[in-house]
Amino acid sequence: MHIHARGLLYFDAIRRNGSIRGAARQLFIDASAVNRQLIQLEQELGFALFERLSGGLQLTPAGELFARHATHVLQDAEWLENELDMLRGLQRGKVHVVGVESLHSALLPEVIGSMLERYPGISLQVTSASSGHIAEYVANGRADVGMAFDMPQHDDVEHAASGRFRLGALVTADHPLARKRSVTLAQCTPWPFILGTEDLASYALIQGELKALPEPPKAVVRATSVELMKRLASAGHGIAFQTRLGLEASASPAAQFVPLESAQGAPILGTLGIHVRSGRSLPPATAAFVECASQVILRLAAQDARPKRR
C-alpha cells in the first residue's frame, strides 16, 4: 500500500542505495524514471537534495532535513498499514532488529522463538552492529528496534526497556582466578588482556578502571568480535571481559565467568536497552517484538543478579 508520494519513496531508495541506479534496481523500475522524480522533487522544494560526486550521491544539508521527514512519513505509513491489517483480523508485519553480537547466541534466539510462536505471520530481519552505531540505524529508519549495551544517547532515539547485567572476567576452568567470587582488574593484570575495541560497550565499561591501574595491562588482542574474545579466553590466551549473556550457549563453553568489581568493590554493570525512534507510534508488529524482548531481558537480568554458587 503506497498512500504517500512517489517522490518520497524514490528519494528514500536513492538515499539508502547511494545512487539512482541502485534505487532503480530496488524499486524494479527504470533509472530514468527515478531521476525524473528526483529532479521534480528538487524543483518543488527549491533545493538540491544530493551532491553528485564521482563516488555516488551524497545528501546536502537540505537533503539531510528531508531525509528525516521521509523517515517519519514512511514509518508512520507502515504503522497505518499494520493497524489496518489488524482491523482486518490479520497478524502480519515486518520488524527489522539491529543488535550487538553478544545477543545473537542466546537472548535474541529466545526472543525470536517467542515471536514466531505467538505471531507466526510476522517476519523478522536481524542485523548485527556495535553499540556505537545502533542509534543511527534506528534514528534514520534503517531498523525498527535497536538492542545494545550502554548505547550513546541520541536525540532521535528513545529508550523502551532495559535490564542490568554484571560484567565479568572470562577465564579457563583451571585458571587461578576461576574459583574466586569476584575479581578486580588489578587482580587480572598478571595475565594478558583480551579487550574489545573502543566502540564496544564492554570496553567502555572498564575504560576508567584501566586508566586507574598503576601500569597499563598487556593487551594481546583488541577485537570487535565477542565470540572471538570468548574463544581466545577459553583457549587460555588471556582474560576477556564480558557479560554472562550467551556464555552457556556459546561455541566456547569452557570459559568461566568471574564477576568483575571496581577498585572500590562495586559490581561493574552494563545496561542492555531496547531502543526505538523518538516520537514514533510503533506498528503492532514492532510493539509485539518490544514486549517479547522486554520480558526476556527482565527475566535474564533477575537471574543474573542472583549470587552464583561456586
Side-chain angles (χ1 to χ4, degrees):
M1 181 180 68
H2 299 310
I3 60 173
H4 30 272
R6 183 182 301 172
L8 208 63
L9 284 170
Y10 288 14
F11 168 84
D12 191 61
I14 297 169
R15 176 180 69 87
R16 291 174 182 273
N17 288 276
S19 71
I20 290 174
R21 290 187 180 278
R25 286 193 294 269
Q26 176 187 320
L27 297 167
F28 299 102
I29 59 176
D30 190 74
S32 61
V34 178
N35 191 49
R36 284 195 300 272
Q37 281 291 328
L38 175 59
I39 292 172
Q40 181 179 339
L41 185 60
E42 290 180 323
Q43 288 175 344
E44 290 176 357
L45 293 171
F47 287 94
L49 298 176
F50 294 96
E51 290 185 49
R52 277 68 171 174
L53 305 175
S54 57
L57 299 181
Q58 181 175 310
L59 287 170
T60 63
E64 294 280 358
L65 290 173
F66 192 76
R68 294 182 64 178
H69 167 71
T71 297
H72 288 210
V73 171
L74 294 176
Q75 287 191 335
D76 286 346
E78 179 188 347
W79 172 86
L80 173 61
E81 185 172 354
N82 276 276
E83 285 288 323
L84 293 173
D85 282 342
M86 297 296 282
L87 287 175
R88 298 185 190 107
L90 301 175
Q91 283 189 326
R92 69 183 190 188
K94 296 182 292 184
V95 185
H96 184 182
V97 182
V98 58
V100 291
E101 183 196 355
S102 59
L103 306 180
H104 289 222
S105 58
L107 188 145
L108 272 174
E110 183 173 348
V111 175
I112 292 170
S114 176
M115 284 289 295
L116 295 178
E117 288 178 6
R118 293 164 63 180
Y119 309 102
I122 293 176
S123 61
L124 300 164
Q125 179 180 342
V126 182
T127 303
S128 180
S130 66
S131 293
H133 293 100
I134 285 176
E136 286 300 324
Y137 273 83
V138 176
N140 64 23
R142 292 172 61 194
D144 300 298
V145 180
M147 299 176 67
F149 281 97
D150 298 280
M151 193 178 78
Q153 289 189 341
H154 193 292
D155 291 341
D156 296 324
V157 176
E158 66 183 35
H159 170 91
S162 65
R164 304 192 79 189
F165 295 84
R166 290 200 70 162
L167 199 69
L170 302 189
V171 297
T172 57
D174 59 352
H175 195 280
L177 300 179
R179 304 307 300 172
K180 287 187 172 290
R181 284 191 166 277
S182 62
V183 293
T184 63
L185 280 180
Q187 291 174 306
C188 297
T189 52
W191 295 274
F193 281 17
I194 300 165
L195 297 174
T197 52
E198 283 78 0
D199 58 344
L200 292 187
S202 60
Y203 178 79
L205 287 170
I206 62 172
Q207 192 171 17
E209 296 286 323
L210 287 170
K211 290 179 178 178
L213 292 173
E215 294 184 8
K218 179 184 179 184
V220 290
V221 175
R222 298 296 300 273
T224 59
S225 170
V226 172
E227 188 60 37
L228 173 61
M229 289 188 282
K230 288 178 184 176
R231 286 180 177 271
L232 292 172
S234 298
H237 296 303
I239 301 177
F241 304 95
Q242 296 172 21
T243 67
R244 192 184 277 108
L245 274 179
L247 190 60
E248 294 80 1
S250 169
S252 310
Q256 301 292 307
F257 179 92
V258 185
L260 193 63
E261 292 186 348
S262 68
Q264 291 73 38
I268 297 177
L269 300 169
T271 301
L272 174 59
I274 303 173
H275 306 274
V276 296
R277 181 169 63 78
S278 298
R280 182 188 182 194
S281 297
L282 296 182
T286 303
F289 181 90
V290 169
E291 180 186 4
C292 284
S294 300
Q295 292 172 354
V296 174
I297 287 175
L298 291 174
R299 177 174 56 78
L300 293 178
Q303 293 176 359
D304 188 71
R306 296 177 196 143
K308 298 293 187 294
R309 294 181 179 179
R310 304 199 69 79

